[in-house]
Amino acid sequence: MFENKERTAISELGEFGLIKHLTNSFKIQHESSIKGIGDDAAVLDFTGKQTLISTDLLLEGIHFDLAYVPLMHLGYKAVQVNLSDIYAMNGIATQITVSIGLSSKFPLEAVEEIYKGIELACNKFNIDLIGGDTSSSKQGLVISVTSVGFADAADVCYRNGAEEGDLICVSGDLGGAYVGLQILEREKQIFLENPQLQPDLEGKDYIIERQLKPEGRRDIVDLLSQMKIKPTSMIDVSDGLASEILHICTQSDKGCTLYEEKIPIDPMTYDTARELGLDPTVCALNGGEDYELLFTIKQADYSKLKNDVDISIIGHITDKNAGCNMISKSNVSHELKAQGWNAFKG
Ligand code: ADP
Ligand code: MG
């Protein structure tokens, strides 16, 4: 990926030189960032608000494959998936820290690419980079992002607030990131067997983007606030719809009914899944990495969002004893099971 480009050994800069080089162009934008990079700890002040904090750890070979993930996209995605967790609490994300572990195979130019992606995400979503840590690693690339945000106590949405009769809503569309990954995996295999062949990603831009360049749904948090809707529960879709709705139901001590025909699936996701011999609904239920927001609302709020094209109502919350089920297009009830992506499965 970076073999043929210029290579500057990181040792030429040293740790402090590297941090300075990578973070120089980042600007502090929030008043709440009292102190960013440069001291032993950052200092934040969210006067009168509750503070939200979330961390993700990304390991090469476990969470990403550099054979098809460009480094800039990796930096961008590492930030986005983290911001998504703050948005899923109905909060405003304001700061991140970024920690990286680098093996000797990474030249400065590679790390610069990662930070370009990080900076792009920070600028687009108005986020201050306020610190991190840098280390060498024995093998591979490690990136950990911690995101910080805030919300009024009354606005924070937990997973455990869903009530019987609440409507289950999801933003955007589902399954695309997973089907995009299948295409990237397929092209990688073809490339490994025949390196002369160029990848054939023609016409698959949307789902490839869903995989490589996901975006946290800050716009949905803003929209809900404008509509004066406070979800009764909310979660972001990182592991697949089935896994996420089960988290809401378990933590809220409720059951649910989803309707297969209501699950939003983009035509490109649908057609490509079919081409690959996959069931599009299964991709939406179990695929993951869509980073859409899944939330429940009171029925009284239905009229406020029923005409929004970016939000689908896909079911409702039931009594716990009814279990968690999906009614198929052929009107058969299936019990929902979580088969979401799991970094520990073999
Ligand atoms: P310490 O020795 O206290 O861990 P460091 O020398 O690691 O401090 O870091 C110096 C400053 O640079 C700190 O403000 C830290 O948060 C920041 N920093 C270190 N690594 C990174 C990084 N990869 N990205 C952004 N900021 C970083
Ligand atoms: Mg340090």
Side-chain angles (χ1 to χ4, degrees), residues 177-254:
Y178 177 78
V179 179
L181 180 63
Q182 303 317 304
I183 292 290
L184 290 167
E185 291 273 7
R186 182 185 74 182
E187 294 308 314
K188 178 188 166 186
Q189 286 313 320
I190 293 173
F191 176 79
L192 288 176
E193 283 155 29
N194 192 345
Q196 286 88 275
L197 287 182
Q198 287 299 305
D200 177 18
L201 305 175
E202 187 74 21
K204 305 289 184 203
D205 335 12
Y206 177 67
I207 53 175
I208 301 287
E209 270 211 9
R210 294 289 286 168
Q211 170 56 223
L212 293 181
K213 202 171 162 287
E215 304 228 320
R217 297 305 308 259
R218 181 181 67 178
D219 57 331
I220 297 292
V221 174
D222 291 344
L223 186 69
L224 289 169
S225 150
Q226 278 162 25
M227 291 172 167
K228 303 213 175 342
I229 296 175
K230 187 198 166 188
T232 51
S233 69
M234 185 147 67
I235 189 168
D236 67 330
V237 182
S238 52
D239 293 337
L241 175 61
S243 167
E244 313 306 356
I245 193 64
L246 287 171
H247 280 306
I248 286 184
C249 289
T250 306
Q251 294 207 22
S252 302
D253 210 21
K254 296 287 180 294

Coordinates of all heavy atoms in Angstrom, one line a residue, residues 177-254:
A177 N -22.9 -2.1 4.8 CA -21.4 -2.2 5.2 C -21.0 -3.6 5.1 O -19.9 -3.9 4.7 CB -21.3 -1.6 6.6
Y178 N -21.9 -4.5 5.5 CA -21.5 -5.9 5.5 C -21.3 -6.5 4.0 O -20.4 -7.1 3.7 CB -22.5 -6.8 6.2 CG -22.3 -8.2 6.2 CD1 -21.3 -8.8 7.0 CD2 -22.9 -9.1 5.3 CE1 -21.0 -10.1 7.0 CE2 -22.7 -10.5 5.3 CZ -21.7 -11.0 6.1 OH -21.4 -12.3 6.1
V179 N -22.3 -6.1 3.2 CA -22.2 -6.6 1.8 C -21.0 -5.9 1.1 O -20.3 -6.6 0.3 CB -23.5 -6.3 1.1 CG1 -23.4 -6.7 -0.4 CG2 -24.7 -7.0 1.7
G180 N -20.7 -4.7 1.5 CA -19.5 -4.0 0.9 C -18.3 -4.7 1.3 O -17.3 -4.9 0.5
L181 N -18.2 -5.2 2.6 CA -17.1 -6.0 3.1 C -16.9 -7.3 2.3 O -15.8 -7.7 1.9 CB -17.2 -6.3 4.6 CG -16.1 -7.1 5.2 CD1 -14.8 -6.3 5.2 CD2 -16.5 -7.4 6.7
Q182 N -18.1 -7.9 2.0 CA -18.0 -9.2 1.2 C -17.4 -8.9 -0.2 O -16.6 -9.7 -0.7 CB -19.4 -9.8 1.0 CG -20.1 -10.1 2.3 CD -19.2 -10.7 3.4 OE1 -18.5 -11.8 3.2 NE2 -19.1 -10.1 4.5
I183 N -17.7 -7.8 -0.8 CA -17.1 -7.5 -2.1 C -15.6 -7.2 -2.0 O -14.8 -7.7 -2.8 CB -17.8 -6.2 -2.7 CG1 -19.3 -6.5 -3.0 CG2 -17.1 -5.6 -3.9 CD1 -19.4 -7.4 -4.2
L184 N -15.2 -6.5 -0.9 CA -13.8 -6.2 -0.7 C -13.0 -7.5 -0.5 O -11.9 -7.7 -1.0 CB -13.6 -5.2 0.4 CG -14.1 -3.8 0.1 CD1 -14.1 -3.0 1.4 CD2 -13.1 -3.1 -0.9
E185 N -13.6 -8.4 0.3 CA -13.0 -9.7 0.6 C -12.8 -10.5 -0.7 O -11.8 -11.1 -0.9 CB -13.8 -10.5 1.6 CG -13.9 -9.9 3.0 CD -12.7 -10.4 3.9 OE1 -11.8 -11.1 3.4 OE2 -12.7 -10.1 5.1
R186 N -13.9 -10.5 -1.5 CA -13.9 -11.2 -2.7 C -12.7 -10.7 -3.6 O -11.9 -11.5 -4.2 CB -15.2 -11.1 -3.5 CG -15.3 -11.9 -4.8 CD -16.5 -11.6 -5.5 NE -16.6 -10.3 -6.2 CZ -17.6 -9.9 -6.9 NH1 -18.7 -10.6 -7.0 NH2 -17.5 -8.7 -7.4
E187 N -12.6 -9.4 -3.8 CA -11.6 -8.8 -4.6 C -10.2 -9.1 -4.1 O -9.3 -9.3 -4.8 CB -11.8 -7.3 -4.8 CG -13.1 -7.0 -5.6 CD -13.2 -7.7 -6.9 OE1 -12.2 -7.8 -7.7 OE2 -14.3 -8.3 -7.2
K188 N -10.1 -9.1 -2.7 CA -8.8 -9.4 -2.1 C -8.4 -10.9 -2.5 O -7.2 -11.1 -2.9 CB -8.9 -9.3 -0.6 CG -7.6 -9.7 0.1 CD -7.8 -9.7 1.6 CE -6.6 -10.4 2.3 NZ -6.8 -10.5 3.7
Q189 N -9.3 -11.8 -2.4 CA -9.0 -13.2 -2.8 C -8.6 -13.3 -4.2 O -7.6 -13.9 -4.6 CB -10.2 -14.1 -2.6 CG -10.5 -14.4 -1.1 CD -9.2 -14.8 -0.3 OE1 -8.3 -15.5 -0.8 NE2 -9.0 -14.3 0.9
I190 N -9.3 -12.6 -5.1 CA -9.0 -12.6 -6.6 C -7.6 -12.0 -6.8 O -6.7 -12.6 -7.5 CB -10.0 -11.8 -7.4 CG1 -11.4 -12.6 -7.3 CG2 -9.6 -11.6 -8.8 CD1 -12.5 -11.8 -7.9
F191 N -7.3 -10.9 -6.0 CA -6.0 -10.3 -6.1 C -4.8 -11.2 -5.7 O -3.8 -11.3 -6.3 CB -6.0 -9.0 -5.3 CG -4.6 -8.3 -5.3 CD1 -4.2 -7.5 -6.4 CD2 -3.8 -8.4 -4.2 CE1 -3.0 -6.9 -6.4 CE2 -2.5 -7.8 -4.2 CZ -2.1 -7.1 -5.3
L192 N -5.1 -11.9 -4.6 CA -4.1 -12.8 -4.0 C -3.8 -13.9 -5.0 O -2.6 -14.4 -5.1 CB -4.5 -13.4 -2.7 CG -4.6 -12.4 -1.5 CD1 -5.1 -13.1 -0.2 CD2 -3.2 -11.9 -1.2
E193 N -4.8 -14.4 -5.7 CA -4.6 -15.5 -6.7 C -4.0 -15.0 -8.0 O -3.3 -15.7 -8.7 CB -6.0 -16.2 -6.9 CG -6.3 -17.1 -5.8 CD -7.8 -17.4 -5.6 OE1 -8.5 -17.3 -6.7 OE2 -8.3 -17.6 -4.5
N194 N -4.3 -13.7 -8.3 CA -3.9 -13.2 -9.6 C -3.6 -11.7 -9.5 O -4.4 -10.9 -9.8 CB -4.9 -13.5 -10.7 CG -4.4 -13.2 -12.0 OD1 -3.3 -12.6 -12.2 ND2 -5.0 -13.7 -13.1
P195 N -2.4 -11.3 -9.0 CA -2.1 -9.9 -8.7 C -2.2 -9.0 -9.9 O -2.3 -7.8 -9.7 CB -0.7 -10.0 -8.1 CG -0.5 -11.4 -7.7 CD -1.3 -12.2 -8.6
Q196 N -2.2 -9.5 -11.1 CA -2.3 -8.6 -12.3 C -3.8 -8.0 -12.4 O -3.9 -7.0 -13.0 CB -2.0 -9.3 -13.6 CG -0.5 -9.6 -13.8 CD -0.1 -10.9 -13.1 OE1 0.1 -11.0 -12.0 NE2 -0.1 -12.0 -13.9
L197 N -4.7 -8.7 -11.9 CA -6.1 -8.3 -12.1 C -6.4 -7.1 -11.2 O -6.1 -7.0 -10.0 CB -7.1 -9.4 -11.7 CG -7.2 -10.6 -12.7 CD1 -8.3 -11.6 -12.2 CD2 -7.6 -10.1 -14.1
Q198 N -7.1 -6.1 -11.8 CA -7.5 -4.9 -11.1 C -8.8 -5.2 -10.3 O -9.6 -6.0 -10.8 CB -7.7 -3.8 -12.0 CG -6.5 -3.1 -12.6 CD -5.6 -2.5 -11.6 OE1 -6.0 -1.7 -10.8 NE2 -4.3 -3.0 -11.5
P199 N -9.0 -4.7 -9.1 CA -10.2 -4.9 -8.4 C -11.4 -4.4 -9.2 O -11.4 -3.4 -9.9 CB -10.1 -4.2 -7.1 CG -9.0 -3.2 -7.3 CD -8.1 -3.8 -8.4
D200 N -12.5 -5.2 -9.2 CA -13.7 -4.9 -10.0 C -14.7 -4.4 -9.0 O -15.5 -5.1 -8.4 CB -14.2 -6.1 -10.7 CG -15.5 -5.7 -11.5 OD1 -15.8 -4.5 -11.6 OD2 -16.2 -6.7 -11.8
L201 N -14.7 -3.1 -8.7 CA -15.6 -2.5 -7.7 C -16.7 -1.7 -8.4 O -17.5 -0.9 -7.8 CB -14.9 -1.6 -6.7 CG -13.7 -2.3 -6.0 CD1 -13.0 -1.4 -5.1 CD2 -14.2 -3.5 -5.2
E202 N -16.7 -1.8 -9.7 CA -17.6 -1.0 -10.6 C -19.0 -1.1 -10.1 O -19.6 -2.2 -9.9 CB -17.5 -1.6 -12.0 CG -18.2 -0.9 -13.1 CD -17.5 0.4 -13.5 OE1 -16.3 0.6 -13.2 OE2 -18.2 1.3 -14.1
G203 N -19.6 0.1 -9.9 CA -21.1 0.1 -9.6 C -21.3 -0.3 -8.1 O -22.5 -0.4 -7.7
K204 N -20.3 -0.4 -7.3 CA -20.5 -0.8 -5.9 C -20.2 0.3 -5.0 O -20.0 0.1 -3.8 CB -19.7 -2.1 -5.6 CG -19.9 -3.3 -6.5 CD -21.3 -3.9 -6.3 CE -21.4 -5.2 -7.1 NZ -22.8 -5.5 -7.4
D205 N -20.0 1.5 -5.5 CA -19.5 2.6 -4.7 C -20.2 2.8 -3.3 O -19.6 2.9 -2.3 CB -19.6 4.0 -5.4 CG -19.6 3.9 -6.9 OD1 -19.8 2.8 -7.4 OD2 -19.5 5.0 -7.5
Y206 N -21.6 2.7 -3.4 CA -22.3 3.0 -2.2 C -22.0 2.0 -1.0 O -21.7 2.4 0.1 CB -23.8 3.0 -2.4 CG -24.6 3.3 -1.2 CD1 -24.5 4.5 -0.5 CD2 -25.4 2.3 -0.6 CE1 -25.2 4.7 0.7 CE2 -26.1 2.5 0.6 CZ -26.0 3.7 1.2 OH -26.7 3.9 2.4
I207 N -22.0 0.7 -1.4 CA -21.8 -0.2 -0.3 C -20.3 -0.3 0.1 O -20.0 -0.5 1.3 CB -22.3 -1.6 -0.6 CG1 -21.8 -2.1 -2.0 CG2 -23.8 -1.6 -0.6 CD1 -22.2 -3.5 -2.3
I208 N -19.4 0.0 -0.8 CA -18.0 0.1 -0.4 C -17.8 1.2 0.5 O -17.1 1.1 1.5 CB -17.1 0.3 -1.7 CG1 -17.3 -0.9 -2.7 CG2 -15.6 0.4 -1.3 CD1 -16.7 -2.2 -2.3
E209 N -18.4 2.4 0.2 CA -18.3 3.5 1.1 C -18.9 3.2 2.5 O -18.4 3.7 3.5 CB -19.1 4.7 0.5 CG -18.2 5.6 -0.3 CD -18.6 7.0 -0.3 OE1 -19.4 7.5 0.4 OE2 -18.0 7.7 -1.2
R210 N -20.0 2.5 2.5 CA -20.7 2.1 3.7 C -19.7 1.4 4.6 O -19.7 1.5 5.8 CB -21.9 1.3 3.5 CG -23.0 2.0 2.8 CD -23.7 3.0 3.7 NE -24.5 2.5 4.7 CZ -25.0 3.2 5.7 NH1 -24.7 4.5 5.8 NH2 -25.8 2.7 6.7
Q211 N -18.8 0.5 4.0 CA -17.8 -0.2 4.7 C -16.6 0.6 5.1 O -16.2 0.6 6.2 CB -17.4 -1.5 3.9 CG -16.2 -2.2 4.5 CD -16.4 -2.7 5.9 OE1 -15.5 -2.6 6.7 NE2 -17.6 -3.2 6.2
L212 N -16.1 1.4 4.1 CA -14.8 2.0 4.4 C -15.0 3.4 5.0 O -14.1 3.9 5.6 CB -14.1 2.2 3.0 CG -13.6 0.9 2.4 CD1 -12.8 1.3 1.1 CD2 -12.7 0.1 3.3
K213 N -16.1 4.1 4.8 CA -16.3 5.4 5.2 C -17.6 5.7 5.9 O -18.4 6.5 5.4 CB -16.1 6.3 4.0 CG -15.7 7.7 4.2 CD -15.4 8.4 2.9 CE -15.4 9.9 3.0 NZ -16.7 10.5 3.2
P214 N -17.9 5.0 7.0 CA -19.1 5.2 7.7 C -19.2 6.6 8.4 O -18.1 7.1 8.6 CB -19.2 4.1 8.7 CG -17.7 3.8 9.0 CD -17.0 4.1 7.7
E215 N -20.4 7.1 8.6 CA -20.5 8.4 9.3 C -21.4 8.2 10.5 O -22.5 7.7 10.3 CB -21.0 9.4 8.3 CG -20.2 9.5 7.1 CD -19.9 11.0 6.7 OE1 -20.7 11.8 6.9 OE2 -18.7 11.2 6.3
G216 N -21.0 8.7 11.6 CA -21.9 8.8 12.8 C -23.1 9.7 12.5 O -22.9 10.7 11.8
R217 N -24.3 9.3 13.0 CA -25.5 10.1 12.6 C -25.8 11.2 13.5 O -26.8 11.3 14.2 CB -26.7 9.1 12.5 CG -26.6 8.0 11.5 CD -26.3 8.5 10.1 NE -27.2 9.5 9.5 CZ -28.2 9.2 8.7 NH1 -28.5 8.0 8.3 NH2 -29.0 10.2 8.3
R218 N -24.9 12.2 13.6 CA -25.1 13.4 14.3 C -26.3 14.1 13.8 O -27.1 14.7 14.6 CB -23.9 14.3 14.2 CG -24.0 15.6 15.0 CD -22.8 16.5 14.9 NE -22.7 17.0 13.5 CZ -21.8 17.9 13.1 NH1 -20.9 18.3 13.9 NH2 -21.7 18.3 11.8
D219 N -26.6 14.0 12.5 CA -27.7 14.7 11.9 C -29.0 14.2 12.5 O -30.0 14.9 12.6 CB -27.7 14.6 10.4 CG -27.7 13.1 9.9 OD1 -27.1 12.3 10.6 OD2 -28.2 12.9 8.8
I220 N -29.1 12.9 12.9 CA -30.3 12.3 13.4 C -30.5 12.8 14.8 O -31.6 13.2 15.2 CB -30.2 10.8 13.4 CG1 -30.2 10.3 11.9 CG2 -31.4 10.2 14.1 CD1 -31.4 10.5 11.1
V221 N -29.4 13.0 15.6 CA -29.5 13.5 16.9 C -30.1 15.0 16.9 O -31.0 15.4 17.6 CB -28.2 13.5 17.6 CG1 -28.2 14.3 19.0 CG2 -27.7 12.1 17.8
D222 N -29.6 15.7 15.9 CA -30.1 17.1 15.7 C -31.5 17.1 15.3 O -32.3 17.9 15.8 CB -29.3 17.8 14.6 CG -27.8 18.1 15.0 OD1 -27.5 18.0 16.2 OD2 -27.0 18.4 14.1
L223 N -31.9 16.2 14.4 CA -33.2 16.1 13.8 C -34.2 15.8 15.0 O -35.3 16.4 15.1 CB -33.3 15.0 12.8 CG -34.6 14.9 12.0 CD1 -34.8 16.1 11.1 CD2 -34.5 13.6 11.2
L224 N -33.9 14.8 15.8 CA -34.8 14.5 16.9 C -35.0 15.6 17.9 O -36.1 15.9 18.3 CB -34.2 13.2 17.7 CG -34.2 11.9 16.9 CD1 -33.4 10.9 17.6 CD2 -35.6 11.4 16.7
S225 N -33.9 16.4 18.1 CA -34.0 17.5 18.9 C -34.9 18.6 18.3 O -35.8 19.2 19.0 CB -32.6 18.0 19.3 OG -32.5 19.4 19.5
Q226 N -34.7 18.8 17.0 CA -35.6 19.8 16.3 C -37.1 19.4 16.4 O -38.0 20.2 16.5 CB -35.3 19.9 14.9 CG -34.1 20.8 14.6 CD -33.5 20.5 13.2 OE1 -34.2 20.0 12.3 NE2 -32.3 20.9 13.0
M227 N -37.3 18.0 16.3 CA -38.7 17.5 16.3 C -39.2 17.4 17.7 O -40.4 17.0 17.9 CB -38.7 16.1 15.7 CG -38.4 16.0 14.2 SD -38.3 14.3 13.8 CE -38.4 14.4 12.0
K228 N -38.4 17.8 18.7 CA -38.8 17.7 20.1 C -39.2 16.2 20.4 O -40.2 16.0 21.1 CB -39.9 18.6 20.4 CG -39.5 20.1 20.1 CD -40.1 21.0 21.1 CE -39.7 22.5 21.0 NZ -38.5 22.8 20.2
I229 N -38.4 15.3 19.9 CA -38.6 13.9 20.3 C -37.4 13.4 21.2 O -36.2 13.6 20.7 CB -38.6 13.0 19.1 CG1 -39.8 13.3 18.2 CG2 -38.6 11.5 19.5 CD1 -39.9 12.5 16.9
K230 N -37.7 12.9 22.4 CA -36.6 12.3 23.1 C -36.8 10.8 23.0 O -37.9 10.3 23.5 CB -36.5 12.7 24.6 CG -35.3 12.1 25.2 CD -35.3 12.1 26.7 CE -34.2 11.2 27.2 NZ -34.2 11.0 28.6
P231 N -36.0 10.0 22.3 CA -36.2 8.6 22.3 C -36.2 8.0 23.7 O -35.6 8.5 24.6 CB -34.9 8.1 21.5 CG -34.4 9.3 20.8 CD -34.7 10.4 21.6
T232 N -37.0 6.9 23.8 CA -37.1 6.3 25.2 C -35.8 5.4 25.4 O -35.4 5.1 26.5 CB -38.4 5.5 25.3 OG1 -38.5 4.6 24.2 CG2 -39.6 6.4 25.3
S233 N -35.2 4.9 24.3 CA -34.0 4.2 24.3 C -33.3 4.4 23.0 O -33.9 4.7 22.0 CB -34.2 2.7 24.6 OG -34.8 2.1 23.4
M234 N -32.0 4.2 23.0 CA -31.2 4.4 21.7 C -29.9 3.6 21.8 O -29.3 3.4 22.9 CB -31.0 5.8 21.4 CG -30.3 6.1 20.1 SD -30.8 7.6 19.3 CE -30.1 8.9 20.4
I235 N -29.4 3.1 20.6 CA -28.2 2.4 20.5 C -27.7 2.6 19.0 O -28.5 2.8 18.2 CB -28.4 0.9 20.8 CG1 -27.1 0.1 20.9 CG2 -29.4 0.2 19.8 CD1 -27.3 -1.3 21.5
D236 N -26.4 2.5 18.8 CA -26.0 2.6 17.4 C -25.8 1.1 16.9 O -25.5 0.2 17.6 CB -24.7 3.4 17.2 CG -23.5 2.9 17.8 OD1 -23.6 2.2 18.9 OD2 -22.4 3.1 17.3
V237 N -26.0 1.0 15.5 CA -25.9 -0.3 14.9 C -24.5 -0.6 14.5 O -24.1 -0.3 13.4 CB -26.9 -0.4 13.7 CG1 -26.9 -1.8 13.1 CG2 -28.3 0.0 14.1
S238 N -23.7 -1.2 15.5 CA -22.4 -1.6 15.1 C -22.3 -3.1 14.9 O -21.5 -3.6 14.1 CB -21.4 -1.2 16.2 OG -21.8 -1.6 17.5
D239 N -23.1 -3.9 15.5 CA -23.1 -5.4 15.4 C -24.2 -6.0 14.6 O -24.4 -7.2 14.6 CB -23.0 -6.0 16.8 CG -21.7 -5.7 17.5 OD1 -20.7 -5.3 16.9 OD2 -21.8 -5.7 18.8
G240 N -25.1 -5.2 14.0 CA -26.2 -5.8 13.3 C -27.5 -5.5 14.1 O -27.5 -5.5 15.3
L241 N -28.6 -5.3 13.4 CA -29.9 -4.9 13.9 C -30.3 -5.9 15.0 O -30.8 -5.5 16.1 CB -30.9 -4.9 12.8 CG -32.4 -4.6 13.2 CD1 -32.5 -3.3 13.8 CD2 -33.3 -4.7 11.9
A242 N -30.2 -7.2 14.8 CA -30.7 -8.2 15.7 C -30.0 -8.1 17.1 O -30.6 -8.0 18.1 CB -30.5 -9.6 15.2
S243 N -28.7 -8.0 17.0 CA -27.9 -7.8 18.3 C -28.3 -6.6 19.0 O -28.5 -6.6 20.2 CB -26.4 -7.9 17.9 OG -25.6 -7.4 19.0
E244 N -28.5 -5.5 18.3 CA -28.8 -4.2 18.9 C -30.2 -4.1 19.5 O -30.3 -3.7 20.7 CB -28.6 -3.0 17.9 CG -27.3 -3.0 17.1 CD -26.0 -3.1 17.8 OE1 -26.0 -3.1 19.1 OE2 -25.0 -3.2 17.1
I245 N -31.2 -4.7 18.8 CA -32.5 -4.6 19.4 C -32.6 -5.5 20.6 O -33.3 -5.2 21.6 CB -33.6 -4.9 18.3 CG1 -35.0 -4.5 18.9 CG2 -33.6 -6.4 17.9 CD1 -35.2 -3.1 19.1
L246 N -31.8 -6.6 20.6 CA -31.8 -7.5 21.7 C -31.2 -6.8 22.9 O -31.6 -7.0 24.1 CB -31.1 -8.8 21.4 CG -31.9 -9.8 20.5 CD1 -31.0 -10.9 20.0 CD2 -33.1 -10.3 21.2
H247 N -30.1 -6.0 22.7 CA -29.6 -5.2 23.8 C -30.6 -4.3 24.4 O -30.8 -4.2 25.7 CB -28.4 -4.3 23.3 CG -27.1 -5.0 23.2 ND1 -26.6 -5.8 24.2 CD2 -26.3 -5.1 22.1 CE1 -25.4 -6.3 23.7 NE2 -25.2 -5.9 22.5
I248 N -31.4 -3.6 23.6 CA -32.4 -2.7 24.1 C -33.5 -3.5 24.9 O -33.8 -3.1 26.0 CB -33.1 -1.9 22.9 CG1 -32.1 -0.8 22.5 CG2 -34.4 -1.3 23.3 CD1 -32.6 0.1 21.4
C249 N -33.9 -4.6 24.3 CA -35.0 -5.4 24.9 C -34.5 -6.0 26.3 O -35.2 -6.0 27.3 CB -35.5 -6.5 24.0 SG -36.4 -5.8 22.7
T250 N -33.3 -6.5 26.3 CA -32.7 -7.1 27.5 C -32.6 -6.1 28.6 O -33.0 -6.3 29.7 CB -31.3 -7.8 27.2 OG1 -31.4 -8.7 26.1 CG2 -30.8 -8.5 28.4
Q251 N -32.0 -5.0 28.2 CA -31.8 -3.9 29.2 C -33.1 -3.3 29.7 O -33.2 -2.8 30.8 CB -30.7 -2.9 28.7 CG -29.4 -3.5 28.5 CD -28.2 -2.5 28.7 OE1 -28.4 -1.5 29.3 NE2 -27.1 -2.8 28.1
S252 N -34.1 -3.2 28.8 CA -35.3 -2.6 29.2 C -36.3 -3.6 29.8 O -37.4 -3.3 30.2 CB -36.0 -2.0 27.9 OG -35.1 -1.0 27.3
D253 N -35.9 -4.9 29.7 CA -36.7 -6.0 30.2 C -38.1 -6.1 29.5 O -39.1 -6.2 30.0 CB -37.0 -5.8 31.7 CG -37.2 -7.1 32.5 OD1 -36.7 -8.1 32.0 OD2 -37.8 -7.1 33.6
K254 N -37.9 -6.0 28.1 CA -39.1 -6.1 27.3 C -38.9 -7.1 26.1 O -37.8 -7.6 26.0 CB -39.3 -4.7 26.7 CG -39.7 -3.6 27.7 CD -41.1 -3.7 28.2 CE -41.5 -2.7 29.2 NZ -40.7 -2.7 30.5

